[in-house]
Amino acid sequence: MLKIVVCVSGGGTNLQAILDAAEQGRITGTEIIAVISNNIKARALERAASHKIPGIVISPKNYPDRETFNEAFAAKMRELAPDLVVLAGFLVRIPPQMVADFSNRIVNIHPSLIPSFCGVGYYGLKVHEKVLERGVKVTGATVHFVNEGMDEGPIIAQKAVYVEENDTPEILQRRVMEQAEWILLPKAIDDIANGRIAVVEDKVVVRQRGDR
Ligand code: GRF
């Protein structure tokens, strides 16, 4: 059974997609042992509670400096000892010590086709604002392993989404979530839980069912 901790900051629609996929058998062999949020008001914590999953709030705001927060966050994750950490709309930088503790065991969903529209300052709605500003015709989402860089780890999967006439950032964000994020993240978790993912020389190899 793959033990998972999910980290959230907001609405938790990606967490909900994971919960729904597990209920419907599209994710097998996993257990979410805790949901961590930096935001005590995150609706994602309510979604966790309704599935009787323990919610934990750890926020940089509650620590004197970032280094102290990083130590506390990394220590909590070591204590929980998940097999996989899933960043689902999580807006806090992962401490370097946690990246080292969980090498290629932290996955993140990013709302663009990396390496486009990612890195410092590219999160949430801002990504879609920049997409529309640039006038690209295709965007999408990427699920990737987290390394010490920002949105630079090995890419696990991507899904393209068309930008449409009269899109606003909000409309585009919703389409990217519905058509890409909520599909990619559960599928990646199921692939990892069922041994279909390997990282070879910093590139992800996905073995289809029966390849083993
Ligand atoms: C989404 O745009 C997601 O791509 C980004 O955070 C936003 C909210 O995600 N990572 P959620 O509804 O909290 O899962």
Side-chain angles (χ1 to χ4, degrees), residues 10-192:
T13 63
N14 279 286
L15 169 64
Q16 192 61 53
I18 297 165
L19 295 168
D20 295 347
E23 250 166 38
Q24 294 157 16
R26 289 181 285 113
I27 294 179
T28 60
T30 65
E31 180 195 355
I32 299 178
I33 59 173
V35 170
I36 292 178
S37 181
N38 61 304
N39 171 10
I40 195 164
K41 298 193 185 71
R43 170 124 191 271
L45 288 171
E46 294 165 28
R47 297 178 193 266
S50 67
H51 281 75
K52 300 188 178 17
I53 299 169
I56 301 165
V57 176
I58 301 181
S59 169
K61 292 188 192 122
N62 301 334
Y63 292 85
D65 55 56
R66 180 51 64 120
E67 187 46 41
T68 316
F69 162 77
N70 283 352
E71 278 306 320
F73 188 15
K76 172 56 76 176
M77 198 62 82
R78 280 194 291 269
E79 177 195 322
L80 290 166
D83 301 302
L84 183 69
V85 179
V86 176
L87 309 184
F90 191 60
L91 301 179
V92 173
R93 186 80 191 255
I94 299 302
Q97 52 268 58
M98 189 183 295
V99 174
D101 291 342
F102 293 89
S103 177
N104 288 330
R105 290 198 292 143
I106 305 173
V107 297
N108 180 50
I109 183 78
H110 181 77
S112 77
L113 294 175
I114 288 174
S116 298
F117 305 104
C118 64
V120 176
Y122 285 92
Y123 57 89
L125 212 52
K126 288 182 188 297
V127 172
H128 307 291
E129 287 166 2
K130 292 294 181 187
V131 161
L132 293 174
E133 202 177 291
R134 182 63 184 83
V136 298
K137 304 307 173 195
V138 175
T139 185
T142 303
V143 58
H144 64 95
F145 285 113
V146 171
N147 66 8
E148 56 290 335
M150 175 80 87
D151 301 328
E152 294 175 0
I155 291 173
I156 299 169
Q158 296 184 295
K159 194 166 186 302
V161 174
Y162 281 105
V163 180
E164 294 179 8
E165 286 299 308
N166 308 319
D167 266 349
T168 63
E170 292 76 8
I171 291 172
L172 182 55
Q173 178 179 51
R174 183 77 193 185
R175 188 179 313 119
V176 168
M177 290 162 102
E178 285 174 349
Q179 296 184 9
E181 296 177 42
W182 299 345
I183 294 166
L184 284 174
L185 191 53
K187 175 74 170 62
I189 291 168
D190 186 53
D191 283 342
I192 292 167

